[in-house]
Amino acid sequence: MFDTLLRHCNLPDGRTDIDIGITGGRIAAVAPHLPGPAGEEIDAGGQLVSPPFVDAHFHMDSTLSYGLPRVNQSGTLLEGIALWGELKPLLVQEAIVERALAYCDWAVAKGLLAIRSHVDVCDPRLLATEALLHVRERVKPYLDLQLVAFPQDGVLRAPGALDNLRRALDMGVDVVGGIPHFERTMADGAASVRLLCEEAASRGLRVDMHCDESDDPLSRHIETLASESVRLGLQGRVTGSHLTSMHSMDNYYVSKLLPLMREAGVAAIANPLINITLQGRHDTYPKRRGMTRVPELLAAGIPVAFGHDCVMDPWYGLGSGDMLEVAHMGLHVAQMTGQDGIRACFQAVTATPAAILGLDGYGLEPGCRADLVLLQAADPVEAIRLRATRLLVMRAGKVIARTAPATATLSLPERPGEVDFRLHRKKV
Ligand SMILES: [Zn+2]
């Protein structure tokens, strides 16, 4: 007998009317018409049951700090970095913890149960690092928080940054970060990539760098990142975040770069909401989109995830932890509006980032941890279109969040009743 039985589920892979049996916090069986009774039965009613959303790129040390100490007037990346520099000396640990926990509440309500967050390690007090290590433990029962040691001001450019980064890793930060395009020269940027990859290799850690986050077609640190991955045997453990310069690169160069990334086992993370907002700021018209080449990366066999990057911080004043909003923007910017493209964008906020983070027991196979989201939608395409309500969120077989279904009732005399936003086509 199962502890819990979810009846009549549609799955992201297209299977319909499937039952999911859960025992001891893990998925025990996935098949049509599983035998009951169970401790509890939940009728999914032909709606989508997905593994939880995963955000592969976030900044939890700055989230929900919008307006502190002032608002970003130009809306640019560089004013955002300067503003963060003004805020850093004013930060206190309890406030960072409080804001991070509040964001995790939003995340859980939206079915987002795993987040890779960069944490700025340039402050010698390592205040934010300590705060987020504390938050990582606090949320562990319900959310996987993976931390990246991120030298925001440049590991070579900022005095003491390498030492601080090493201290943060000693304290238990999970992943090595970097920002080569923010170093003073291309040569320094390449040197920083080598240095940081060696640090990761010697510690057996993964790498995730902010890489080429600019519109400069000659910003090519991704090439160094890929070749260092091969040299140090880090294949499958290295990620390039943003890669926005690829949008502006020469096509011939990209035709060489993509196979190199594929051979090096380097994954890519685009951050559609932020890339479309921050890039192209030096352009008049035509104005570049500034997101990396998502369909081309996917076609070359390179895993691509979408990250939220920022929610209400010095760089971005919007957002609510909704990865369907991220996928929705991503498919528009990348022009991935075909059915396969939209499904790939759903993957980019679920299974692909789970693989990039190396999450254990993620998925809907028997044996996986019973982490699930029931959405008010029939399939992944409808989920993105409607930014569907998360009716129920489950962690290890226990319901941890519920949201009432979104409905609207018309009081038009000619057409009274509930509005149904699904497409019911009866005639051509
Ligand atoms: Zn970032």
Side-chain angles (χ1 to χ4, degrees):
M1 185 172 118
F2 301 111
D3 298 340
T4 308
L5 197 45
L6 276 98
R7 297 275 192 204
H8 314 299
C9 309
N10 288 358
L11 305 188
D13 64 11
R15 282 179 287 168
T16 58
D17 204 13
I18 299 291
D19 293 351
I20 301 174
I22 297 167
T23 303
R26 299 214 159 244
I27 294 174
V30 181
H33 316 301
L34 288 172
E40 186 191 9
E41 290 204 15
I42 298 169
D43 185 3
Q47 298 177 106
L48 178 64
V49 173
S50 169
F53 297 104
V54 180
D55 185 356
H57 189 112
F58 194 63
H59 293 266
M60 206 174 275
D61 49 357
S62 54
T63 194
L64 310 194
S65 69
Y66 183 71
L68 298 176
R70 61 183 177 84
V71 166
N72 184 336
Q73 289 300 338
S74 65
T76 60
L77 174 61
L78 291 181
E79 187 178 341
I81 293 175
L83 185 46
W84 177 236
E86 289 171 37
L87 178 57
K88 259 195 272 189
L90 311 176
L91 290 174
V92 291
Q93 203 161 316
E94 304 84 81
I96 301 173
V97 169
E98 210 173 286
R99 288 194 287 262
L101 288 173
Y103 183 75
C104 289
D105 291 348
W106 295 10
V108 169
K110 298 285 187 186
L112 167 56
L113 300 189
I115 300 174
R116 175 183 276 182
S117 173
H118 296 254
V119 53
D120 185 355
V121 294
C122 282
D123 171 9
R125 298 171 299 165
L126 293 180
L127 207 72
T129 307
E130 267 181 28
L132 291 195
L133 283 167
H134 172 74
V135 170
R136 187 179 70 182
E137 294 311 306
R138 284 273 292 272
V139 301
K140 203 173 239 170
Y142 54 91
L143 187 147
D144 295 304
L145 178 59
Q146 190 177 80
L147 299 177
V148 186
F150 173 48
Q152 170 80 71
D153 303 326
V155 73
L156 297 177
R157 180 174 175 169
L162 179 60
D163 187 45
N164 296 336
L165 177 129
R166 286 180 171 144
R167 284 198 292 132
L169 295 172
D170 291 342
M171 287 160 68
V173 169
D174 309 278
V175 178
V176 177
I179 186 163
H181 58 274
F182 198 69
E183 304 290 355
R184 298 318 288 268
T185 63
M186 285 293 167
D188 279 0
S192 80
V193 171
R194 276 193 289 278
L195 178 75
L196 291 163
C197 285
E198 283 168 3
E199 189 70 31
S202 73
R203 292 172 183 259
L205 298 179
R206 289 170 194 267
V207 176
D208 186 343
M209 288 193 197
H210 285 66
C211 197
D212 305 320
E213 189 183 2
S214 80
D215 297 313
D216 175 4
L218 296 177
S219 186
R220 294 174 171 186
H221 296 299
I222 179 59
E223 181 185 288
T224 310
L225 185 61
S227 72
E228 286 301 300
S229 303
V230 174
R231 182 174 74 87
L232 296 164
L234 290 169
Q235 289 97 333
R237 308 173 62 79
V238 174
T239 300
S241 276
H242 291 292
L243 305 179
T244 52
S245 73
M246 200 187 294
H247 187 92
S248 301
M249 280 174 184
D250 172 70
N251 287 336
Y252 178 78
Y253 176 73
V254 174
S255 77
K256 272 187 74 195
L257 175 63
L258 296 185
L260 173 66
M261 288 177 68
R262 162 95 175 127
E263 283 161 41
V266 171
I269 298 172
N271 297 298
L273 292 162
I274 306 307
N275 299 152
I276 196 77
T277 308
L278 295 183
Q279 302 305 313
R281 290 285 181 147
H282 292 268
D283 293 358
T284 53
Y285 289 94
K287 215 183 256 287
R288 284 168 287 182
R289 288 190 174 86
M291 191 167 79
T292 196
R293 302 189 187 199
V294 175
E296 292 78 8
L297 285 159
L298 288 169
I302 296 157
V304 183
F306 288 155
H308 206 315
D309 200 1
C310 302
V311 170
M312 304 203 75
D313 69 8
W315 294 274
Y316 187 62
L318 301 168
S320 63
D322 184 350
M323 294 307 291
L324 288 173
E325 192 178 311
V326 174
H328 189 265
M329 177 59 84
L331 76 91
H332 283 83
V333 181
Q335 300 182 327
M336 291 169 67
T337 45
Q339 291 281 306
D340 288 351
I342 299 175
R343 286 176 187 279
C345 291
F346 191 83
Q347 292 278 91
V349 293
T350 52
T352 305
I356 289 173
L357 269 65
L359 294 181
D360 243 359
Y362 178 91
L364 292 182
E365 307 306 314
C368 291
R369 191 168 60 197
D371 297 354
L372 309 165
V373 185
L374 169 60
L375 292 135
Q376 192 186 1
D379 58 45
V381 175
E382 193 169 80
I384 293 178
R385 181 172 67 85
L386 299 174
R387 267 81 78 221
T389 300
R390 284 68 163 175
L391 298 168
L392 181 151
V393 181
M394 203 180 253
R395 171 80 163 188
K398 300 260 179 300
V399 175
I400 57 170
R402 286 180 194 276
T403 306
T407 57
T409 309
L410 300 186
S411 47
L412 295 168
E414 306 80 20
R415 295 181 66 80
E418 279 202 4
V419 180
D420 186 347
F421 288 97
R422 288 169 299 179
L423 190 62
H424 296 284
R425 190 178 283 129
K426 296 195 185 76
K427 297 186 230 93
V428 175

Coordinates of all heavy atoms in Angstrom, one line a residue, residues 57-59 118 150 210 213 241-242 271 309-310, ligand 1:
H57 N 20.7 29.9 -11.6 CA 21.5 31.1 -11.5 C 20.7 32.2 -10.7 O 19.8 32.8 -11.3 CB 21.9 31.6 -12.9 CG 22.9 32.7 -12.8 ND1 24.2 32.6 -13.2 CD2 22.8 34.0 -12.3 CE1 24.9 33.7 -13.0 NE2 24.0 34.6 -12.4
F58 N 21.2 32.4 -9.5 CA 20.5 33.4 -8.7 C 21.5 34.1 -7.8 O 22.6 33.7 -7.6 CB 19.4 32.7 -7.9 CG 18.4 33.7 -7.3 CD1 17.6 34.5 -8.1 CD2 18.3 33.9 -5.9 CE1 16.7 35.4 -7.6 CE2 17.4 34.8 -5.4 CZ 16.6 35.6 -6.2
H59 N 21.0 35.3 -7.3 CA 21.9 36.0 -6.3 C 21.0 36.3 -5.0 O 20.3 37.2 -4.9 CB 22.3 37.4 -6.9 CG 23.2 37.2 -8.0 ND1 24.6 37.3 -7.9 CD2 23.0 37.0 -9.3 CE1 25.2 37.1 -9.0 NE2 24.3 36.9 -9.9
H118 N 24.8 32.5 -6.4 CA 26.1 33.1 -6.3 C 26.1 33.9 -5.0 O 25.1 34.5 -4.6 CB 26.4 33.9 -7.5 CG 26.5 33.1 -8.7 ND1 27.7 32.8 -9.3 CD2 25.6 32.4 -9.4 CE1 27.5 32.0 -10.4 NE2 26.2 31.8 -10.5
F150 N 31.5 33.8 -5.4 CA 31.5 34.7 -6.6 C 32.3 36.0 -6.3 O 31.8 36.8 -5.5 CB 30.0 35.0 -6.9 CG 29.8 36.1 -8.0 CD1 30.5 36.0 -9.2 CD2 28.9 37.1 -7.8 CE1 30.4 37.0 -10.2 CE2 28.8 38.1 -8.8 CZ 29.5 38.0 -10.0
H210 N 30.2 33.7 -14.1 CA 29.7 34.8 -15.0 C 30.7 35.0 -16.1 O 31.8 35.4 -15.8 CB 29.5 36.1 -14.1 CG 28.4 36.1 -13.2 ND1 28.4 35.2 -12.1 CD2 27.3 36.8 -13.1 CE1 27.3 35.5 -11.4 NE2 26.6 36.4 -12.0
E213 N 29.5 38.5 -19.9 CA 28.3 39.2 -19.7 C 28.4 40.6 -20.2 O 28.5 41.6 -19.5 CB 27.8 39.2 -18.3 CG 26.4 39.7 -18.1 CD 25.9 39.8 -16.7 OE1 26.7 39.5 -15.8 OE2 24.7 40.2 -16.5
S241 N 27.8 31.0 -17.3 CA 26.6 31.8 -17.1 C 26.6 33.0 -17.9 O 27.6 33.7 -18.1 CB 26.4 32.1 -15.6 OG 25.9 31.1 -14.9
H242 N 25.4 33.4 -18.4 CA 25.2 34.5 -19.3 C 25.6 34.4 -20.7 O 24.8 34.3 -21.6 CB 25.8 35.8 -18.7 CG 25.1 36.3 -17.4 ND1 23.8 36.7 -17.4 CD2 25.5 36.3 -16.1 CE1 23.5 37.0 -16.1 NE2 24.5 36.8 -15.3
N271 N 20.0 34.0 -18.8 CA 19.1 34.6 -17.8 C 18.2 35.6 -18.6 O 18.5 36.8 -18.6 CB 20.0 35.3 -16.7 CG 20.8 34.3 -15.9 OD1 20.2 33.4 -15.3 ND2 22.1 34.4 -16.0
D309 N 18.3 34.9 -12.0 CA 19.4 35.8 -11.8 C 19.1 36.8 -10.6 O 19.8 36.8 -9.6 CB 19.8 36.5 -13.1 CG 21.2 37.1 -13.0 OD1 21.9 37.0 -12.0 OD2 21.6 37.8 -14.0
C310 N 18.0 37.6 -10.8 CA 17.8 38.7 -9.9 C 16.3 38.8 -9.6 O 15.5 38.6 -10.5 CB 18.2 40.0 -10.5 SG 19.9 40.1 -10.9
Ligands
ZN1 ZN 24.4 36.6 -12.0

